[in-house]
Amino acid sequence: NDPTETERLDFQYALVSHVFEDRLHFAPLENPTNVLDIGTGTGTWAMDMGDAYPTTTIEATDLSPIQPTAVPDNVHFIIDDAEQDD
């Protein structure tokens, strides 16, 4: 989780966003109440979803706390290992 990896993750997100023409998802969502992002990385997608769906609770997990602290009120980052049986 060094600066080089953070930069790579942000570049990867920018590339995928461009390829997908800035679509955040392909699921037919209509007023979702909860969204879960497992392995959020830098948290950019979760924050974009929080901006796009301000009444939706976005919970995003990752192993390391590399996400920013200034995020939309409906976005919550949780440090967790998705591979653990808890």
Side-chain angles (χ1 to χ4, degrees), residues 7-72:
E7 218 174 275
R8 186 193 70 78
L9 289 170
D10 286 337
F11 178 75
Q12 183 179 24
Y13 178 73
L15 181 65
V16 169
S17 293
H18 176 72
V19 170
F20 290 163
E21 299 177 343
D22 293 323
R23 288 185 64 174
L24 293 172
H25 56 82
F26 290 90
L29 300 180
E30 290 184 28
N31 302 317
T33 56
N34 295 289
V35 170
L36 176 62
D37 179 10
I38 299 174
T40 194
T42 61
T44 307
W45 181 83
M47 291 183 293
D48 287 348
M49 284 292 286
D51 287 336
Y53 297 96
T55 61
T56 301
T57 299
I58 313 293
E59 292 187 339
T61 70
D62 204 274
L63 287 171
S64 302
I66 62 170
Q67 302 78 28
T69 55
V71 299

